[in-house]
């Protein structure tokens, strides 16, 4: 079949909107008609080269839609099912899945070529194979994905809204709740209030943090953070440090969560300085794989037993976390609708990313026209 998609052909190029040929699903795969896709910063990392991949590639790794066809051997899903796609596939039987660390599933090794688990591609044009971001490609009207990437959801949930729980929401929420281990009474600092950081704010507040300090140079984002559970906001790391010192009587924050779009040595140093003895710095944001962004005094690391923790998908399990978050949404305890700042058509994807980089969006949402 034919499908229309936003693709990248190389580092530094803009998104192109083209028609692609899409193969039918093979064994263990499903054909999905996407309703919406989130405009996550990670897709812009493909454009800048901070995430190394094989080009050309269909963008998009946050989305929800409807199953239209299933391949052989698929037992969990059927045509008509509504699904959220997890940007992390979960095989269930590799060493890491077997130990409960499903966010580190060995299928992640495919994220360089972004082919499907059998090593082949489903998107083609002019004799060329196109990969699909995180094995998904939600910037396409249709995609064929592994059933390992699909979480079935209730049909009455709004697909446009729940698309966000495929990446940004669980990543931010879990950064606070899982990787950060926020507990009632804690003081938590969050650096960078975008699509991930705003949900780290929600997670920290839900977990019972007494002080949730949102750090961002943009007033628009600081104001939004206060609506999502922050108790304080700071325009700079220096101002945040002053708040931490005052609120904790010099002890330091329990957690510092780094959710900026591009991680720098400066933000890591600020986060490390902000936490108390045996405090935790969680790094969720990314920089290019060749960039060394962590320079800290080992003297302080050792004597104060401070900890630095990386977090992928908020250190959570997609097939557990996504349904859990949707139940919290139903109960009115998790804000999803309010996360969406602007909606875009597929042809406006470049404008959506310009708005994100200019700080106009908490989360932009790409809406696929009915096909």
């Amino acid at each position: 079949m034919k499908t229309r998609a936003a693709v990248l052909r190389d580092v530094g190029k803009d998104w192109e909107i083209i028609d692609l040929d899409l193969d039918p699903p093979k064994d263990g795969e499903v054909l999905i008609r996407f309703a919406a896709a989130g405009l996550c910063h990670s897709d812009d990392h493909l454009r800048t080269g901070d995430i190394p991949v094989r080009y050309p590639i269909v963008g998009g790794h946050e989305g929800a839609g409807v199953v239209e066809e299933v391949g052989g051997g698929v037992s969990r899903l059927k045509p008509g099912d509504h699904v959220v796609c997890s940007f992390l596939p979960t095989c269930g039987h590799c060493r890491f899945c077997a130990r409960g660390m499903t966010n580190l599933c060995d299928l992640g090794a495919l994220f360089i070529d972004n082919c499907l688990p059998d090593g082949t591609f489903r998107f083609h044009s002019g004799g060329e194979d196109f990969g699909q971001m995180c094995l998904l490609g939600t910037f396409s009207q249709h995609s064929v994905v592994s059933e390992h990437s699909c979480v079935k959801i209730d049909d009455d949930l709004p697909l446009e809204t729940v698309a966000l729980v495929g990446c940004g929401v669980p990543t931010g929420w879990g950064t606070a709740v899982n990787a950060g281990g926020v507990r009632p009474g804690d003081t938590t600092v969050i650096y960078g209030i975008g699509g991930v950081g705003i949900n780290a704010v929600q997670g920290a507040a839900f977990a019972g943090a007494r002080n949730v300090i949102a750090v961002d140079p943009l007033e628009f984002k600081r104001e939004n953070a206060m609506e999502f559970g922050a108790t304080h906001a700071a325009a700079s790391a220096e101002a945040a440090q002053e708040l931490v010192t005052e609120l904790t009587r010099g002890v330091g924050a329990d957690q510092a969560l780094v959710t900026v779009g591009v991680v720098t040595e400066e933000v890591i140093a600020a986060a490390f300085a902000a936490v108390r003895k045996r405090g935790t710095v969680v790094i969720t944001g990314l920089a290019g794989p060749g960039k060394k962004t962590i320079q800290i005094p080992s003297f302080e690391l050792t004597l104060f037993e401070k900890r630095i923790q990386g977090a992928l998908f908020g250190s959570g399990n997609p097939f557990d976390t996504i349904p859990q978050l949707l139940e919290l949404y139903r109960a009115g305890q998790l804000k999803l609708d309010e996360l969406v700042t602007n909606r875009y058509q597929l042809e406006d994807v470049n404008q959506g990313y310009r708005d994100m980089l200019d700080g106009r969006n908490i989360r932009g949402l790409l809406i696929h026209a009915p096909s």
Side-chain angles (χ1 to χ4, degrees):
M1 66 178 295
K2 292 284 189 181
T3 184
R4 197 155 180 78
V7 305
L8 283 175
R9 294 191 182 273
D10 208 344
V11 175
K13 302 291 187 181
D14 281 343
W15 295 96
E16 294 181 39
I17 311 302
I18 65 172
D19 291 321
L20 292 170
D21 295 313
L22 178 62
D23 295 338
K26 297 183 180 180
D27 289 353
E29 299 170 0
V30 299
L31 170 67
I32 295 177
R33 173 177 52 81
F34 283 115
L39 298 181
C40 181
H41 202 131
S42 293
D43 288 285
D44 193 62
H45 285 311
L46 301 184
R47 185 185 62 82
T48 62
D50 285 334
I51 295 179
V53 295
R54 169 197 173 278
Y55 299 93
I57 187 169
V58 178
H61 66 284
E62 184 179 80
V66 180
V67 175
E68 292 198 335
E69 184 181 345
V70 301
V74 174
S75 59
R76 293 189 302 103
L77 299 168
K78 65 183 185 304
D81 283 348
H82 289 205
V83 295
V84 168
C85 286
S86 164
F87 82 91
L88 291 176
T90 299
C91 76
H93 54 74
C94 70
R95 176 181 182 181
F96 296 95
C97 285
R99 293 187 176 189
M101 297 179 283
T102 56
N103 63 314
L104 300 176
C105 176
D106 281 347
L107 289 177
L110 300 171
F111 283 6
I112 298 297
D113 286 340
N114 286 284
C115 57
L116 288 187
D118 70 352
T120 63
F121 299 89
R122 300 295 169 271
F123 289 104
H124 316 279
S125 178
E128 192 171 25
D129 296 328
F130 283 67
Q132 44 199 100
M133 173 63 162
C134 293
L135 284 58
L136 297 178
T138 63
F139 291 176
S140 175
Q141 295 168 318
H142 287 82
S143 184
V144 169
V145 307
S146 169
E147 66 173 329
H148 296 316
S149 300
C150 298
V151 179
K152 186 180 181 304
I153 63 171
D154 293 338
D155 292 352
D156 63 326
L157 289 167
L159 288 171
E160 290 185 11
T161 300
V162 301
L164 303 179
V165 299
C167 174
V169 177
T171 296
W173 182 276
T175 292
V177 175
N178 300 326
V182 176
R183 301 178 64 180
D186 279 357
T187 292
T188 306
V189 190
I190 297 126
Y191 299 85
I193 309 301
V196 172
I198 196 71
N199 291 296
V201 169
Q202 288 207 83
F206 184 84
R210 179 169 57 95
N211 300 306
V212 180
I213 304 169
V215 188
D216 200 286
L218 297 176
E219 183 178 3
F220 160 69
K221 293 191 175 183
R222 297 196 302 273
E223 290 175 351
N224 268 271
M226 301 300 289
E227 297 296 320
F228 281 79
T231 58
H232 303 79
S236 67
E238 293 76 17
Q241 182 66 63
E242 291 178 8
L243 271 172
V244 168
T245 301
E246 176 187 349
L247 293 168
T248 66
R249 302 182 183 183
V251 173
D254 300 282
Q255 303 87 14
L257 314 178
V258 179
T259 55
V260 294
V262 180
V263 173
T264 64
E265 184 177 329
E266 290 75 19
V267 73
I268 298 296
F272 188 78
V275 296
R276 58 165 170 80
K277 298 175 184 178
R278 204 172 275 196
T280 302
V281 176
V282 181
I283 304 172
T284 297
L286 293 173
K291 297 176 182 177
K292 294 179 171 58
T293 53
I294 300 177
Q295 294 287 331
I296 57 171
S298 61
F299 183 87
E300 191 174 340
L301 180 72
T302 298
L303 296 188
F304 286 0
E305 289 196 356
K306 294 186 178 184
R307 293 173 290 180
I308 297 178
Q309 166 75 50
L312 177 65
F313 200 83
S315 298
N317 169 1
F319 282 81
D320 175 54
T321 301
I322 289 173
Q324 178 190 58
L325 291 174
L326 292 177
E327 287 303 315
L328 290 173
Y329 169 64
R330 279 193 185 281
Q333 296 176 292
L334 175 69
K335 292 184 178 182
L336 293 182
D337 302 275
E338 298 87 344
L339 291 171
V340 180
T341 315
N342 287 297
R343 289 172 167 79
Y344 304 88
Q345 299 300 308
L346 182 62
E347 288 73 18
D348 300 322
V349 63
N350 286 301
Q351 182 61 53
Y353 275 107
R354 282 192 290 271
D355 289 347
M356 182 200 75
L357 294 170
D358 290 341
R360 297 191 185 99
N361 287 343
I362 294 296
R363 187 53 120 211
L365 195 64
L366 190 157
I367 306 300
H368 285 294
S371 56

